[in-house]
Amino acid sequence: MQPQVKHIIEAALLAAGEPLPIERLRRLFPHDRQPEVAAVCDALAELAKDFEGRGIELKEVASGYRIQVRAQLAPWVAQLWVTKPGRYSRALLETLAIIAYRQPITRGEIEEIRGVALSSSIMRALQERGWIRVAGHRELPGRPALFGTTRAFLDYFNLKSLNEMPALTEIRFWSDYDAELDPCLAAAEGSNTAQAAG
Amino acid sequence: MQPQVKHIIEAALLAAGEPLPIERLRRLFPHDRQPEVAAVCDALAELAKDFEGRGIELKEVASGYRIQVRAQLAPWVAQLWVTKPGRYSRALLETLAIIAYRQPITRGEIEEIRGVALSSSIMRALQERGWIRVAGHRELPGRPALFGTTRAFLDYFNLKSLNEMPALTEIRFWSDYDAELDPCLAAAEGSNTAQAAG
Amino acid sequence: MAGEVGVAKEIREEQAHARSTAAVAKIKGEPLASLPHDLYIPPDALEVILESFEGPLDLLLYLIRRQNLDILDIPIAEITRQYMRYVELMKDLCLDLAAEYLAMAAVLAHIKSRMLLPQPTQEAPDETDPRIELARRLQEYEQFKEAAGALDELPRLARDIFPGRVPAPVRRIERSEPVVSLRELIMALADVMARAEHFAQYAVQREALSVRQRMVDILSRVGCECFCALADLVPAGEGRLGVTVTFLAVLELFRERLIELRQTEAFAPIYVRAAAAVRNSATPGNEQGMNNP
């Protein structure tokens, strides 16, 4: 008996060990019997529904779909491993955050924002983890490399796209401050200031 | 809400990546709330039942329990690891082209034309692919094999006979022409041109 | 270590001083009478704290935040004094003081000197006010400092996210063959030709190709039959050209001593067979090629 499309997809997602995009799921089937993209999507939706109320969930991340333990059950499952994953240094996290929000960005620009020189070991560590890559070069003397984040970065942090990253706090401008300082002035200049700040 | 024992066990078995014995499954829970062995066994039996008719199954192996893909789904899941076709080396393509135009030809003669020694792996690869064969031997010391192309070679390149291969004078024109073209454009048009030439 | 404790004491005094003088600080324009108590820093922890600053911007932010000052209205003179204290302390503790700390000290001193100059009070700070640039840099840095914290909080693999991974039945992995286009093949040959200047001696014309093919056809045919009538080697329907091509191929094969020709008497049919050596070794009819010796 031919297994259902959704069961084949479930088995493949669990066997793959990495997120699988829809195209790769379609290629599990012989050429002449490849399900349409819509059919694969339907099967994925059914799977997600089957998992409701259970310990696992279907999650779409940047490079495709994966089956993972539901967040609520993570504390139990984490008991399986004695050693806990290490922490990342603030310098590494700040660098990664700047690249994620400001990409493509050169090393010099990162240093400008952080106000300190950037150690090579941090950039190497980020590249070795596959979280950042050289996305191009800026047309400046020395053609400095432009860095950007990878799909692996998004996968690691359980994100589907950069849009899902937490929003940055807004930068206030001097004009905002003036408005707060002097309500009368603010009333008079209201529209101008808002535009300048926007 | 406290998740069901069965769902915690399912999540742990899926995340572990190795078989888990019953004792290890019990230790997922806090000391004072560890389920009895019988309760774990019940949960495992329920899980096995849940998996019926699906792409995965619960299996007891020597070191414990694990969830695995059902054997019937192997044909589909194995597609995940079908390697993408590689590319042939320049040397192999040149060798094949020389044999096609100069057959029957000995290995030494191919080397003379190319100006470099010919590796055995290239000739073996071409023979394994079924594109060349030994058509005879030249009556010289050592009786070197004479190579020629096969019908499979013609079939692959969609040719009825060797006559349909472009004349060498045309080739010279092509290469001059390509040098002027943007390399990307030339690559993109590769298949079209090949069809036109065939 | 005594010196370190001494400096630490100084720092605490300085912090107390900052608290007492911070009454000038404004939060959203409101003067603050008293500030929340700053954290008491035990002397042993000082070094750890100082080492934990990510740079001059981080240190400045710390000084501003611990006094609940508004980044847009920093009391430059006071902050500069505090900043220099920390920089001196880092020097005293022989911390690897990055040059950036000193560069920032210069920026602060520059701003301070400008503030001392008389300014037209009624006008809003113009574009050249160096405090604007400092406030922008501080805010921008703080943005990413917070973003780094948020990134750290995101669920991540192996800590919060556990993907399912199960074994699959082992199956022979299929190997697929590389794809080659005819064009690639031709271009490869063009390369050979370009390289070999003496290629002219191998020059092959379109017409010659059919002779070459016929040579191989004949060779494989005579390999499997003992004797073959020359006439039978000419495929029907090829006309005069077919006869010519076959004849040329036979002559070429004969010249290369790959075939033997037999004629029992004058004008009798001519028979072709593979040369003795070819006969013994060729694998006739095996289109898929033979295994390498």
Side-chain angles (χ1 to χ4, degrees):
Chain A
M1 198 193 78
Q2 169 90 5
Q4 282 182 47
V5 169
K6 83 171 172 184
H7 290 151
I8 291 172
I9 289 176
E10 179 187 29
L13 287 174
L14 285 172
E18 59 182 345
L20 297 177
I22 287 181
E23 263 319 300
R24 206 141 159 236
L25 290 172
R26 289 185 67 211
R27 282 206 303 275
L28 296 173
F29 299 84
H31 266 293
D32 49 338
R33 263 170 296 165
Q34 253 175 25
E36 294 299 313
V37 171
V40 174
C41 288
D42 286 352
L44 286 167
E46 270 186 70
L47 268 185
K49 209 150 168 265
D50 290 350
F51 294 159
E52 268 172 28
R54 280 172 50 194
I56 50 175
E57 64 182 350
L58 183 74
K59 171 86 183 167
E60 186 182 1
V61 289
S63 43
Y65 291 83
R66 73 178 171 213
I67 294 172
Q68 62 189 36
V69 172
R70 241 172 238 287
Q72 301 97 288
L73 275 83
W76 280 271
V77 174
Q79 298 298 315
L80 285 172
W81 296 279
V82 183
T83 52
K84 300 296 167 211
R87 292 188 58 81
Y88 295 105
S89 72
R90 258 184 64 197
L92 183 139
L93 287 169
E94 284 180 13
T95 306
L96 185 56
I98 291 170
I99 296 173
Y101 284 94
R102 281 286 169 84
Q103 59 189 304
I105 190 170
T106 66
R107 201 169 152 150
E109 289 157 0
I110 299 169
E111 291 179 331
E112 219 173 286
I113 293 176
R114 291 193 62 234
V116 281
L118 188 52
S119 85
S120 304
S121 65
I122 285 180
M123 295 304 277
R124 203 166 45 238
L126 288 174
Q127 281 180 294
E128 274 169 8
R129 296 234 45 173
W131 288 346
I132 65 166
R133 70 195 165 90
V134 175
H137 293 266
R138 208 182 278 302
E139 284 308 320
L140 288 174
R143 299 189 68 252
L146 285 164
F147 294 93
T149 54
T150 61
R151 278 211 189 117
F153 160 78
L154 293 170
D155 290 348
Y156 185 87
F157 287 101
N158 213 31
L159 301 170
K160 198 173 133 185
S161 81
L162 285 170
N163 297 332
E164 288 185 1
M165 302 256 314
L168 285 178
T169 50
E170 276 179 40
I171 286 197
R172 291 172 307 134
F173 293 85
W174 209 280
S175 47
D176 299 339
Y177 180 75
D178 285 341
E180 287 164 5
L181 198 64
D182 191 338
C184 302
L185 188 69
E189 291 192 338
S191 55
N192 294 339
T193 316
Q195 277 175 354
Chain B
M1 199 193 80
Q2 170 87 4
Q4 283 182 49
V5 169
K6 151 174 117 165
H7 291 151
I8 293 173
I9 288 176
E10 180 188 27
L13 287 174
L14 285 174
E18 57 178 350
L20 298 177
I22 287 181
E23 262 320 300
R24 202 136 162 239
L25 290 171
R26 289 184 66 213
R27 281 205 305 276
L28 296 173
F29 299 84
H31 267 295
D32 49 340
R33 264 171 295 166
Q34 257 176 22
E36 294 301 313
V37 172
V40 173
C41 288
D42 285 353
L44 285 168
E46 268 186 73
L47 269 184
K49 212 155 163 255
D50 290 349
F51 293 158
E52 270 172 27
R54 279 173 51 194
I56 50 176
E57 63 187 350
L58 184 73
K59 170 95 181 163
E60 187 180 1
V61 291
S63 46
Y65 289 84
R66 76 171 175 217
I67 295 171
Q68 62 186 30
V69 172
R70 259 179 223 284
Q72 299 96 290
L73 272 83
W76 287 271
V77 174
Q79 292 301 313
L80 282 175
W81 298 288
V82 171
T83 51
K84 280 212 189 84
R87 291 190 59 82
Y88 282 135
S89 68
R90 201 76 198 165
L92 182 140
L93 291 176
E94 287 182 9
T95 305
L96 180 59
I98 291 169
I99 294 173
Y101 279 89
R102 288 286 307 155
Q103 59 190 296
I105 189 170
T106 65
R107 200 168 148 151
E109 287 157 358
I110 298 170
E111 290 179 335
E112 205 175 315
I113 293 175
R114 288 193 62 233
V116 283
L118 187 54
S119 85
S120 307
S121 65
I122 285 180
M123 296 306 280
R124 199 162 51 237
L126 287 172
Q127 283 179 299
E128 277 172 8
R129 187 81 195 249
W131 284 348
I132 65 165
R133 69 197 164 95
V134 176
H137 290 264
R138 210 183 280 297
E139 282 306 315
L140 289 173
R143 300 185 56 255
L146 283 163
F147 293 94
T149 53
T150 62
R151 225 170 259 153
F153 165 82
L154 293 174
D155 289 347
Y156 183 89
F157 289 101
N158 210 22
L159 301 170
K160 231 166 80 190
S161 81
L162 284 171
N163 295 328
E164 290 185 359
M165 302 237 339
L168 293 181
T169 45
E170 285 173 40
I171 299 169
R172 221 185 269 284
F173 169 71
W174 278 17
S175 59
D176 292 346
Y177 184 64
D178 273 352
E180 291 162 16
L181 274 179
D182 183 70
C184 303
L185 187 67
E189 290 186 344
S191 53
N192 294 339
T193 319
Q195 279 175 354
Chain C
M1 289 307 280
E4 184 194 325
V5 173
V7 180
K9 185 162 165 261
E10 220 178 304
I11 285 284
R12 280 202 305 282
E13 283 167 1
E14 171 264 306
Q15 285 165 353
H17 175 71
R19 275 197 294 277
S20 62
T21 57
V24 293
K26 296 177 197 162
I27 302 298
K28 304 210 170 196
E30 290 289 312
L32 266 178
S34 66
L35 286 168
H37 275 272
D38 195 9
L39 292 169
Y40 166 73
I41 305 171
D44 296 347
L46 254 179
E47 196 164 347
V48 178
I49 288 175
L50 289 175
E51 268 182 335
S52 71
F53 288 122
E54 287 295 326
L57 291 170
D58 199 22
L59 171 55
L60 266 184
L61 263 185
Y62 166 77
L63 294 174
I64 291 165
R65 287 298 173 215
R66 72 165 188 184
Q67 291 168 80
N68 284 340
L69 299 176
D70 191 309
I71 287 182
L72 297 183
D73 189 30
I74 312 165
I76 288 291
E78 179 53 29
I79 285 291
T80 304
R81 204 180 63 77
Q82 293 178 21
Y83 180 87
M84 290 313 294
R85 282 287 178 122
Y86 275 87
V87 168
E88 288 304 319
L89 182 62
M90 287 189 199
K91 273 186 183 166
D92 289 347
L93 292 177
C94 295
L95 288 182
D96 194 12
L97 188 64
E100 292 90 348
Y101 282 95
L102 299 175
M104 178 58 77
V107 169
L108 288 172
H110 170 68
I111 297 176
K112 196 170 123 186
S113 66
R114 278 200 47 155
M115 307 301 288
L116 293 174
L117 295 173
Q119 266 189 322
T121 48
Q122 289 307 307
E123 285 175 25
D126 60 10
E127 289 300 321
T128 60
D129 188 332
R131 285 180 299 167
I132 296 181
E133 173 59 13
L134 182 63
R136 187 197 64 78
R137 286 189 69 193
L138 280 169
Q139 287 195 75
E140 188 179 49
Y141 174 68
E142 190 172 39
Q143 241 187 347
F144 290 109
K145 192 181 156 173
E146 283 170 10
L151 195 64
D152 205 16
E153 292 301 311
L154 282 180
R156 67 167 84 139
L157 275 187
R159 188 186 69 180
D160 317 283
I161 304 293
F162 304 100
R165 177 83 213 255
V166 307
V170 184
R171 200 160 180 269
R172 196 176 64 83
I173 289 172
E174 293 171 38
R175 203 184 65 186
S176 45
E177 303 281 8
V179 177
V180 183
S181 73
L182 183 61
R183 180 188 173 82
E184 272 181 281
L185 193 61
I186 304 307
M187 296 319 293
L189 189 68
D191 277 4
V192 182
M193 288 167 65
R195 274 208 315 272
E197 288 174 359
H198 59 285
F199 198 85
Q201 73 185 84
Y202 296 102
V204 180
Q205 299 305 308
R206 178 191 283 276
E207 291 73 26
L209 269 178
S210 52
V211 176
R212 287 276 161 192
Q213 174 155 41
R214 188 57 46 87
M215 283 166 69
V216 175
D217 288 346
I218 292 170
L219 209 52
S220 58
R221 190 155 163 203
V222 297
C224 46
E225 295 167 32
C226 264
F227 273 104
C228 199
L230 181 61
D232 292 346
L233 291 174
V234 183
E238 278 192 359
R240 189 178 304 215
L241 186 63
V243 176
T244 314
V245 164
T246 306
F247 189 62
L248 285 173
V250 168
L251 286 182
E252 187 67 20
L253 286 169
F254 186 66
R255 191 180 65 80
E256 293 188 20
R257 296 204 292 160
L258 292 168
I259 53 171
E260 294 169 7
L261 298 175
R262 290 289 167 87
Q263 190 179 30
T264 46
E265 58 191 65
F267 307 112
I270 298 174
Y271 288 94
V272 183
R273 75 165 176 180
V278 179
R279 223 165 37 233
N280 295 335
S281 55
T283 51
N286 183 1
E287 284 279 297
Q288 294 308 309
M290 54 185 277
N291 293 328
N292 238 20

